[in-house]
Amino acid sequence: MKKNTWVEVLEGTTGCTKNGDTFEMGETEIFKVHAIFEDEVVVHGGAFTFKAHDVHMIKPADFAWMR
């Protein structure tokens, strides 16, 4: 997967902060991927981690309108 991948994280998804605290997403958001591991996706400069099956990969064409 390329470095400039973006993911959509849906409201209600459980994530983990850099400090290990868990939290629930308050609203659907799109994040730039920081790193990808076998079962986890790290986003937003390494601040948040989500289970890989909880995130939706977005193709560049899907978010071009946001720029």
Side-chain angles (χ1 to χ4, degrees):
M1 196 171 299
K2 294 189 178 87
K3 197 78 168 144
N4 288 337
T5 300
W6 294 70
V7 291
E8 182 177 33
V9 183
L10 301 178
E11 183 174 348
T13 300
T14 301
C16 183
T17 68
K18 194 181 285 187
N19 296 330
D21 300 320
T22 57
F23 66 95
E24 187 175 296
M25 288 290 294
E27 57 187 73
T28 300
E29 286 196 53
I30 294 171
F31 295 104
K32 190 168 189 174
V33 172
H34 179 76
I36 296 171
F37 301 101
E38 198 171 313
D39 60 345
E40 293 180 331
V41 178
V42 183
V43 300
H44 203 59
F48 307 130
T49 302
F50 297 99
K51 292 295 177 196
H53 60 78
D54 284 336
V55 301
H56 170 66
M57 300 293 169
I58 299 174
K59 299 185 205 78
D62 293 343
F63 63 89
W65 59 270
M66 293 172 55
R67 291 182 181 177

